[in-house]
Amino acid sequence: MANPIIEFKNISKKYDDTPVLKKIDFEIESGKFYTLLGPSGSGKTTILRMIAGFEDPTSGEILFEGKRIDLTPANKRPINTIFQDYALFPHLNVSQNIAFGLELKKMSKTDIQAKVAESLRMVQLSGYENREIDALSGGQKQRIAIARAIANEPKVLLLDEPLSALDHKLRKEMQVELRALQQRLGITFIFVTHDQEEALALSDQIFVMNDGRILQSGTPVDIYDEPINHFVADFIGESNIVPGTMTADYLVHFDHKDFECVDAGMRPNEPVEIVIRPEDLDITSADKGKMQVTVDSQLFRGVDYQITGHDADDHEWTINSIHQTTVGAQVGLVFDPEDIHIMRFGEDEETFDARLDSYEE
Amino acid sequence: MKAKFKLSNLYLVFVFIVIYLPIAYLIFYSFNTGATMDKFTGFSMKHYTTLLSDTRMISIVLNTVVIALLSSLLATLIGTLGALWINQLKRRSAKNAVLSVNNVLMVSPDVIIGASFLIFFSFLGFKLGFTSVLLSHIAFSIPIVVLMVLPKINEMPRTMIDAAYDLGASKWQALSRVILPTITPGIFAGYFMAFTYSLDDFAVTFFVTGNGFSTLSIEIYSRARQGVDLEVNALSTLMFLVSLLLVVGYYVLERYGHSRRVNRNKMMKGPNAQ
Ligand SMILES: Nc1ncnc2c1ncn2[C@@H]1O[C@H](COP(=O)(O)OP(=O)(O)OP(=O)(O)O)[C@@H](O)[C@H]1O
Ligand SMILES: [Mg+2]
């Protein structure tokens, strides 16, 4: 692994004795797109503010390129932030806003001008130099905030829910642009969001957080396909989660039957949770199905139908299907062994990874 | 509903008449040929010519303006710094304590403030005159400035200051390049308030002035006590006109600033809008 650009070592943070971050450890590699994903209050902003230098850890160390940075004040860190409310300076116009950091660095007038023009080009707002800030739309303010940050050529760019104030369409557009911008600039982005879809679409790496802890980190595909626990499975995407027991390696028991699966490394008869994504389930006739459910409702969503039903034990099942079915009917469900993902209770990330390594090549 | 509206209009008109009638009366008699306000005997500007040749009166007007300008300037400086200091206090209780002290000064009667300044100055053996008046005007203006500036500081989003540091600003640069420009409207409002408070202060000045130093309100008071003098009417008329012009000027400025902003917004929706 390449040398990490940012490392958190055993970071804890308390506000008046209320723990907000609990022993956070992670490494961030240069040039990648990272996302901190978690529900409100999980501590995402706090982590970002610590990297930026607005907040001090209560204990632990933050390293930047291998050297301690948690004692360096914010204005001396080669890191810039894009704030959720943009935090543009209303008394300055667009080019003055972008030039703010450059002027402080005593850059020459002509260099500043060139840099401002270049940054505006990056965010596709060339020609907006003399606009006043209150004469910009929300999406334009967002871009100017990005231009102002990247003009300083930071090594790391921090983005705290930068798209949350935009409408759905603009939000999608900006996601694509952000991703493209990150790849063009090649700098590290650390992005905060509580929108799992956004996180999956943008990131190289996701840290899923809850209640001051990082529960799981990995690529979007890893986290989607192999969530570590109930919380992550539920938070990322739609999922069916039912209890079961591990009969043996590669064999799991639920709905009164044993099913073939691809997980191993548990104790025999260990109670576990089974995750199957709704899009991995297919509907067939009751007798052909691996299991049977009674259809309770059906919702047309444009691309597909979202069908919910219940099995003999009254566990609820959600199925996404392009085929219509009838409410009240009994139908069969089919799925492949790979579609079943097994989660152990209380397993932490380290043992989870070790167990996966023990049987996956 | 309609009748009620009319009634309230009537009431407003009545109130305005009550407020402005004495002033109108006073202005009217400033043009009197005679020396009293009993009977209007003919139009003349003679009280205005006496006023303009009254060097004592003119120097007092200048004194008053100098005191008002200086005291409001210094009070604005101190008050703004004070508001910034209060804002960065971490403990809530400390913040509230300082704010209460500030507000107590705001609401306590001028007579009490004047008397306590007098006691204070005589205790120190301070010679009463220009300096004592200036100092007390600064003192009673500071809370006003704090009260006008503090909300502007509170309104300022916390992230804006963070953004300044984030872009490499030192504490001083953040203050001078971001915080002060943002709260400028509050500072100006505080300055104007302090200026008018100083201009028409009577009670405090009455206590702390001495050694022949006088301000307008004191002078008019003492002349009015000696009997009617239509020169005072002439002066009051001029002052009324000046304040009227100031108010009108203020509104024009404000409207101008406002419409400029509106125009800018219109511009945005113009050719470049997407
Ligand atoms: N200055 C502060 N003083 C006290 N508590 C704070 C402070 N800042 C944050 N907290 C608390 O710390 C916890 C984590 O806050 P943080 O802002 O990091 O959450 P978040 O994950 O960014 O949430 P959101 O998605 O709502 O922005 C919250 O419970 C919050 O109330
Ligand atoms: Mg947050």
Side-chain angles (χ1 to χ4, degrees), chain B residues 54-233:
Chain B
D54 185 345
T55 49
R56 177 182 157 79
M57 189 58 114
I58 287 169
S59 80
I60 284 173
V61 170
L62 288 181
N63 278 345
T64 312
V65 172
V66 166
I67 288 275
L69 281 175
L70 269 182
S71 70
S72 50
L73 198 70
L74 289 168
T76 304
L77 202 75
I78 300 169
T80 304
L81 290 178
L84 287 169
W85 174 72
I86 291 175
N87 183 256
Q88 58 88 55
L89 284 177
K90 289 256 151 50
R91 287 220 325 273
R92 236 206 147 68
S93 54
K95 217 176 208 167
N96 284 338
V98 178
L99 266 178
S100 316
V101 170
N102 188 66
N103 292 346
V104 164
L105 268 179
M106 272 302 288
V107 295
S108 51
D110 285 357
V111 185
I112 309 258
I113 295 177
S116 48
F117 275 128
L118 178 60
I119 295 166
F120 181 62
F121 285 133
S122 19
F123 175 74
L124 290 180
F126 203 88
K127 219 175 100 203
L128 297 181
F130 175 80
T131 323
S132 62
V133 173
L134 181 66
L135 286 179
S136 23
H137 278 217
I138 293 173
F140 75 64
S141 299
I142 290 174
I144 303 166
V145 176
V146 170
L147 225 59
M148 301 299 283
V149 173
L150 205 53
K152 286 283 167 207
I153 300 181
N154 288 336
E155 259 171 41
M156 189 168 48
R158 167 77 235 182
T159 51
M160 235 171 69
I161 304 162
D162 284 341
Y165 292 133
D166 193 67
L167 295 166
S170 62
K171 268 211 153 97
W172 166 247
Q173 287 166 328
L175 181 68
S176 63
R177 286 166 185 248
V178 174
I179 301 176
L180 286 180
T182 312
I183 61 173
T184 305
I187 297 178
F188 271 112
Y191 176 79
F192 277 114
M193 284 289 272
F195 184 79
T196 52
Y197 265 70
S198 166
L199 259 193
D200 60 25
D201 174 71
F202 173 78
V204 176
T205 316
F206 189 71
F207 278 98
V208 296
T209 193
N211 293 310
F213 185 79
S214 186
T215 64
L216 253 183
S217 48
I218 306 284
E219 181 70 10
I220 292 176
Y221 169 74
S222 56
R223 286 198 188 191
R225 271 171 60 104
Q226 284 157 20
V228 200
D229 179 352
L230 292 192
E231 193 188 330
V232 171
N233 286 35

Side-chain angles (χ1 to χ4, degrees), chain A residues 49 54 74-75 79-81 83 85 87-91 100-101 103-104 128 131-132 134-136 140 148 152, chain B residues 157-160 162-171 173 177-178 181-182 261 264-265 267-268 272 274:
Chain A
R49 291 178 60 84
F54 306 133
N75 56 1
I79 295 171
N80 285 108
T81 308
F83 296 88
D85 59 356
L88 296 170
F89 306 128
H91 61 285
F100 189 89
E103 277 170 11
L104 295 175
Y128 277 65
R131 276 297 179 90
E132 296 296 330
D134 18 328
L136 295 173
Q140 292 169 338
R148 182 177 70 175
N152 294 282
Chain B
R158 167 77 235 182
T159 51
M160 235 171 69
D162 284 341
Y165 292 133
D166 193 67
L167 295 166
S170 62
K171 268 211 153 97
Q173 287 166 328
R177 286 166 185 248
V178 174
T182 312
R261 190 155 287 180
R264 273 199 233 133
N265 283 340
M267 241 168 56
M268 176 195 105
N272 282 327
Q274 23 215 206

